[in-house]
Amino acid sequence: MTRRDFFAVQAAAVAAAQALPKPKIAIFSKHLQWLDIPAMADAAKDTGFDAIDLTVRKGGHIEPANALADLPKAAEAIRARGLELPMITTAIQSAATPDAENVLRAASDAGVRYFRWGGLKYTDAGVEAQIRMYRDSVLPLAKLAEKHGMCGIYHTHSGTREFGAAIWDIYQTLRDVDPKHLAINYDIGHATVEGGYGGWEISSRLCGPYLRGIAVKDFVWKRNAAGQWRPHWCPLGEGMVNLPAFFAKRHAADVIQLHFEYPLGGAEHGDRIITLSRDQVLAAMARDLRHLRSVAGG
């Protein structure tokens, strides 16, 4: 390769990277449940978010039983402020979950593409047997998602009973399902809890086309009052999650969500009444958002 050819290739690579669309970042509305939907949308817009991941579950911004009536109005209020509504967070575990049909119908009619599902648990039964059981149980949910033109993304947590914490188990469960209908919402914070050195890198690669959503948070290991080591959530950039390395992999995801699990006056828990001022909470959120944009290319 000549010197001229080398620089031409480099220039083309830079141009290609610059041509990639900047990722849209949504706030998980759980952390703004101290505000009603119009005020929540105003706060998200003022803080600099592009989109909302709206809670449509018991105790959320919208109750599942009221989805058909309330979700269209919420979508209108959110979009009127120039924000997108690409996904909702639900308590759906299977097609048999109460109100699942109405929630997905309402979301689809409102132009929402993704719904977060999950919460499957391990019992003391054999691991392989439980994977087979869940593999069978997701097929009706995939059909329900297809019926409404949606994609359900399974949110990954960390913990000994959390199905999907290891990632390979939820991948095995979904491997015969079209990722257009069921996929994975990869939480890089929880994935780092489970595989902090290199496990997160392998598990995120394993997801492949099933990686449709990314949830972002940060943590450090600390001892709790009982002397047990536990993850303690913290602002982005202050913990162990290697966000620059993660996003340098150019993982393709349609929805990036920012979570706030560290102490934030109760906003971290989805409380309706918080003990910090609005300005304090939104300032912390804006700080994390700036950090995320700096590493995610936005």
Side-chain angles (χ1 to χ4, degrees), residues 46-100:
D46 293 344
T47 306
F49 286 94
D50 306 301
I52 303 289
D53 165 16
L54 186 66
T55 50
V56 184
R57 60 187 183 184
K58 187 175 181 179
H61 270 111
I62 294 178
E63 292 291 327
N66 301 330
L68 286 171
D70 292 348
L71 188 49
K73 292 181 288 188
E76 182 179 2
I78 289 167
R79 291 173 180 142
R81 286 152 177 84
L83 296 170
E84 297 182 13
L85 182 59
M87 72 177 285
I88 59 173
T89 286
T90 76
I92 293 173
Q93 292 185 321
S94 73
T97 299
D99 296 306

Side-chain angles (χ1 to χ4, degrees), residues 2 4 35 64-67 78 86 125 127 133 148-149 161 164 175 197 201 216 225 240 249 270 282 291:
T2 66
R4 176 178 295 179
L35 297 169
N66 301 330
I78 289 167
V127 171
M133 176 187 70
H148 293 289
R161 295 285 182 176
R175 66 181 184 180
Y197 188 52
E201 180 175 354
V216 179
M240 300 173 61
K249 303 295 182 182
L282 297 187
H291 183 85

Side-chain angles (χ1 to χ4, degrees), residues 236-296:
L236 294 193
E238 297 183 10
M240 300 173 61
V241 179
N242 193 341
L243 290 174
F246 176 74
F247 282 104
K249 303 295 182 182
R250 290 291 184 185
H251 290 298
D254 297 327
V255 187
I256 298 176
Q257 317 111 56
L258 183 52
H259 291 214
F260 304 91
E261 304 293 346
Y262 56 87
L264 207 55
E268 71 275 19
H269 301 307
D271 290 353
R272 297 289 179 173
I273 299 175
I274 59 174
T275 59
L276 295 179
S277 71
R278 180 184 190 276
D279 288 346
Q280 287 174 306
V281 172
L282 297 187
M285 292 178 171
R287 177 195 60 215
D288 278 12
L289 178 59
R290 287 193 299 271
H291 183 85
L292 178 54
R293 290 197 190 282
S294 73
V295 297

Side-chain angles (χ1 to χ4, degrees), residues 3 5 7 11 24 28 74 78 85 114 121 201 209 221 244 249 256 273 281 284:
R3 178 183 175 87
D5 290 340
F7 283 112
K24 299 291 183 70
F28 183 22
I78 289 167
L85 182 59
Y114 295 94
K121 304 292 184 183
E201 180 175 354
W221 288 104
K249 303 295 182 182
I256 298 176
I273 299 175
V281 172

Side-chain angles (χ1 to χ4, degrees), residues 86-280:
M87 72 177 285
I88 59 173
T89 286
T90 76
I92 293 173
Q93 292 185 321
S94 73
T97 299
D99 296 306
E101 174 84 43
N102 285 341
V103 167
L104 296 194
R105 179 184 302 148
S108 179
D109 289 347
V112 178
R113 175 74 181 95
Y114 295 94
F115 67 96
R116 181 177 129 185
W117 66 290
L120 304 182
K121 304 292 184 183
Y122 278 111
T123 67
D124 291 331
V127 171
E128 291 185 1
Q130 289 178 83
I131 290 175
R132 288 194 298 270
M133 176 187 70
Y134 284 135
R135 188 181 295 160
D136 291 339
S137 74
V138 300
L139 297 178
L141 182 59
K143 290 181 180 179
L144 184 62
E146 181 180 12
K147 173 183 175 181
H148 293 289
M150 297 192 70
C151 178
I153 49 178
Y154 186 94
H155 189 79
T156 60
H157 285 89
S158 56
T160 57
R161 295 285 182 176
E162 295 289 343
F163 190 88
I167 307 298
W168 57 262
D169 48 0
I170 187 63
Y171 173 78
Q172 288 285 337
T173 301
L174 298 178
R175 66 181 184 180
D176 295 326
V177 175
D178 191 328
K180 291 189 299 185
H181 308 314
L182 290 183
I184 295 171
N185 195 48
Y186 187 88
D187 189 311
I188 181 57
H190 284 298
T192 304
V193 171
E194 293 290 333
Y197 188 52
W200 66 264
E201 180 175 354
I202 300 302
S203 66
S204 62
R205 287 167 53 196
L206 174 66
C207 292
Y210 289 91
L211 198 160
R212 293 299 181 92
I214 294 171
V216 179
K217 56 175 71 81
D218 205 350
F219 80 100
V220 293
W221 288 104
K222 288 185 179 180
R223 291 187 187 274
N224 62 16
Q228 301 165 320
W229 287 101
R230 292 290 185 270
H232 284 247
W233 305 106
C234 63
L236 294 193
E238 297 183 10
M240 300 173 61
V241 179
N242 193 341
L243 290 174
F246 176 74
F247 282 104
K249 303 295 182 182
R250 290 291 184 185
H251 290 298
D254 297 327
V255 187
I256 298 176
Q257 317 111 56
L258 183 52
H259 291 214
F260 304 91
E261 304 293 346
Y262 56 87
L264 207 55
E268 71 275 19
H269 301 307
D271 290 353
R272 297 289 179 173
I273 299 175
I274 59 174
T275 59
L276 295 179
S277 71
R278 180 184 190 276
D279 288 346
Q280 287 174 306

